[in-house]
Structures are given as structure tokens and as C-alpha cells.
Amino acid sequence: MELIPLLLLILICAALLVGYPVAFTLAGVSILFALLCIPFGIFDPTIFKSIPIRIFGIMNNITLLAVPLFIFMGTILEKSGIAAKMLENMAAAFRRIKGGLSISIIIVGALLAASTGIVGATVVTMGLMSLPILINQGYDKSFSTGLVASTGTLGQIIPPSIALVLLGDVMSNAYQRAQNDMGIFSQQTVTVGDLFIGAIVPGIMICLGYLFYTVYKNKNNSNLKDFSNEIKIEKIEIFKTLALPITLIFLVLGSIFAGIATPTEAAAIGAFGALIIALINKKINFKFIKEASEKTAVVSTMIFTILIGASIFSLIFRGVGGDELINLIFSSLPGGAYTALIFVLLVIFLLGFILDFIEICYVIIPL
């Protein structure tokens, strides 16, 4: 009986590897598996009644309202051309340093991550703009692609990150449930703002690690071309380009850290600020707003569909004895909490090869 939940996990992973969409795989395979288990008395069919309540809870969650707002903010900034301007100006600012273009890409990637919170938008934008320039300037292809990919994923950890918004919602419920199981009645909670604050130092450390590595990697690269005398730019131009996104970052994060606004309210501030930046860059028109809104709707729908699928999977996984399996695994591990932490990190790392951060947040973390 203990292996039944494990069989469900294996079937879902197999369906994902075949290529079925994640959201429909999580929900569809779980429901079919539950139906097959009912005749054998493994699954209680009355659990199905909880599915509408769970879906209503997701769609009525005020915290998750920040997700489409942050997506809209990131989409507006992506289409406004601010990223291209930042990259051009930062490349000019570091032109006299060997490997200066790679340094500028890391800095711009960090600023974009803090401005958008969307990994896909950052990777695509940086890839289209910087990858051809990196290769033409003499950087290795493997280093260039790795730099763009790793810099683009800074949006996972640098606030305001959509991943942290989703994780905050999951952690809040899981933390309260854990306290309840331990008999703590004056319960505390983990908020999205707490995660934003906690992610600042790790985000900075990752950026510094990237910077140190790229300087070390390219200090002896004789293939790099020298553009120090070809590209010139005034300091005031660099300031003008960086001032707007940095101000937006300060308003969004500052309002959360100061306790003035909730993440959802700060996301609304960010979306409005992104529109102002687009207006200053003379990009605002009906077509621009229409395209940004359509992309926001598509990405938001994808995320919330995955959330619904993950919620259904989590419900059925517990219904077939998943909680007992997880407890058995953790109780069998030697070394206590530290061994359990290492085990969880290893599992999340391995699942990262086949699952996106949304599924990991809403499937693995609650378990």
C-alpha cells in the first residue's frame, strides 16, 4: 500500500517525459489513477468533492493576484525597449575592462530580474540582444549561452519574483499547518514580504559569484576584441537609462519592506510605473497595450491552470496515502533535520530537470 502514491508519481513523470502539458497531466493522470483505485478501496471518492473548493480557493486568493500584475509589469518593460538601452549603455560604461560586455550583461540581467520577476522574458530579451554581440566580440559560444541562461534565471530569486509570490502562498499554508500539528496555538505565518527580504542576500551573492567568475574566465582570453575607443557615451545618458528602472524597483520593493503595501498592492504600483516608463520612452499606443495585455493573459492563464492541476494532484496524492509515504521516508532518514533538508534539496534539484518552478512550488513543497 505504501507504494501506491509512488506509482502515481512515476506515472505522472512518465506522462511528462512523453510530452503532455504539465497542467493537464497533473490533474488528468491523478483523477484517472484515483478512479482506478476506488474499486480496490484505496481511494475515497468523497474526496472529489473538495476539488471545487480548492479551485475556488486558488482563484479567490488575494496574494496570487500579484502574479498577473507582475507579469504585466514585466511585459510592459520588455516591450518598452528599456532593456536594450540599459545593455547598450552598460556595455559602453565597462568598455575599458576586459570582458566588460559580459559584466554589463550580468548587471543588466540583475536589474531586469528586479524589474520584471519573469524568467522567460529576461532570458529571451537578453538572448536576442546580447548573444550575437557576445559571439562576434570573441567570447566562447558555450560561455556566452551559459551567461545568458544563468543571468536570465536571476528572476527566480531576486525580488519581486513570481516564484517567490507563489512560494509565499504555499509556505504560508504549510507553515501554519506545521505549527498546528505541533500544538502551537498563537500561530505565526510566512509572508511573501518575508521571502522577498530573505532572498536579497542570496540574490546579491549569486550576482557577485557570476561577476567574479566572468572576470576570471575572460582575463586571459586573447580572442576578445577591443571596442574601448569605438563606443563612447556620456555619464548622464547612463544615469538617465538606469534611473527609471531603479526607481521602479525602489518603489515596488521599498513599499513592501516598509510595510506600506502588500505584495499585491506593490505589484499594482509596479504595473502603473511600467506604463509610465513606456510612456516616457514613447512606446504607449493601443497596439502596445493590446499585445502586452494578451501576453499577460496567456502567461497568467498558463500559471493558474498549472496551480489548479497541482492542487488536484496534491489532493489525490494525499487521498491514496501520500502523507504516510512522505512521513515514512523522513522518519527513516538518519541524522535528523539536516539530513532531511539535504534530501529535500536533492529531490528538488533532480525534479528541476523535468518540472518548472510552479509545479515544484505547488506539488513538492506541500508534500
Side-chain angles (χ1 to χ4, degrees), residues 9-33:
L9 286 174
I10 293 172
L11 289 174
I12 286 178
C13 290
L16 290 173
L17 291 174
V18 170
Y20 288 105
V22 173
F24 304 120
T25 297
L26 289 171
V29 172
S30 298
I31 292 173
L32 290 175
F33 188 83

Side-chain angles (χ1 to χ4, degrees), residues 82 86 237-249 277:
I82 191 70
M86 282 198 295
E237 288 298 320
I238 299 176
F239 174 78
K240 287 180 180 179
T241 304
L242 297 179
L244 291 175
I246 290 177
T247 301
L248 182 62
I249 294 168
I277 291 177

